[in-house]
Amino acid sequence: MSNSLPYDAIVALGSNIGDTRANMARALDLLCESGEVRVVARSRDFKTPPWGITDQPWFANACAGVATRLDARTLLARCLAVEQRLGRVRAQKWGPRIIDLDVLAHRDGAVDEPDLVLPHPRITERAFVLAPLADIAPDLILDGRSVADWLAATDTTGVEAFADSAVVHD
């Protein structure tokens, strides 16, 4: 991850069960409650069509840049704990979920382990990640191209920011 970014990691958020936007806001609150993680940039909230399994409700998606001293694996564990606290049930891959938190990139750099790959291996294929990521890290280089370039080359049909949503920088 570029050292010029004003944060240590990027976390993607998604939800398509219940009050999706409130679920994402609550997840960020829980992620930060110990004081070891602080949100320094947050994208707009985006309404996005389901991906993978398309017969399910649309999603709300966002990205947050966070300041933290936690290493990538510990941050991932914290994200999974937040999912569990909010009642996430992993019943079906790509299926409906109350909340989904993914570590997309971390200051520790590339990681390639069975349960953690960073940068996240499918960022460049998914408009529902690229659109909010471009709000906070358009110049982040992934596979030799910026997030903004990847987004421009991606089909964004159905992906749109909520009208009352704004990019926030601390």
Side-chain angles (χ1 to χ4, degrees):
M1 189 160 97
S2 168
N3 291 332
S4 65
L5 295 177
Y7 31 83
D8 299 307
I10 300 170
V11 176
L13 303 100
S15 174
N16 76 335
I17 295 174
D19 186 341
T20 58
R21 296 176 72 196
N23 293 343
M24 293 190 308
R26 180 74 177 129
L28 281 179
D29 288 346
L30 291 173
L31 189 63
C32 296
E33 77 177 349
S34 71
E36 294 177 298
V37 178
R38 182 173 56 88
V39 175
V40 295
R42 189 187 188 289
S43 73
R44 295 172 290 171
D45 292 343
F46 285 80
K47 181 180 179 182
T48 64
W51 189 93
I53 296 173
T54 58
D55 184 23
Q56 62 181 314
W58 281 46
F59 280 80
N61 289 99
C63 284
V66 300
T68 185
R69 292 183 184 205
L70 299 177
D71 62 37
R73 179 155 303 287
T74 304
L75 180 59
L76 174 63
R78 181 74 46 88
C79 288
L80 295 174
V82 167
E83 288 181 355
Q84 185 174 22
R85 284 180 66 185
L86 289 176
R88 167 107 189 244
V89 176
R90 294 179 180 272
Q92 181 180 39
K93 186 174 183 173
W94 299 323
R97 64 212 57 194
I98 192 164
I99 193 66
D100 184 28
L101 298 174
D102 288 315
V103 178
L104 298 180
H106 194 280
R107 72 168 181 280
D108 290 349
V111 177
D112 189 1
E113 298 174 5
D115 60 342
L116 179 62
V117 177
L118 296 176
H120 193 286
R122 290 172 293 285
I123 295 172
T124 59
E125 303 166 9
R126 298 177 172 176
F128 67 86
V129 175
L130 288 168
L133 184 55
D135 272 356
I136 63 168
D139 299 325
L140 177 66
I141 302 299
L142 300 167
D143 293 333
R145 295 170 63 185
S146 71
V147 166
D149 287 344
W150 282 111
L151 179 59
T154 301
D155 179 3
T156 58
T157 302
V159 175
E160 62 182 66
F162 284 89
D164 63 344
S165 184
V167 178
V168 178
H169 293 279
D170 184 24

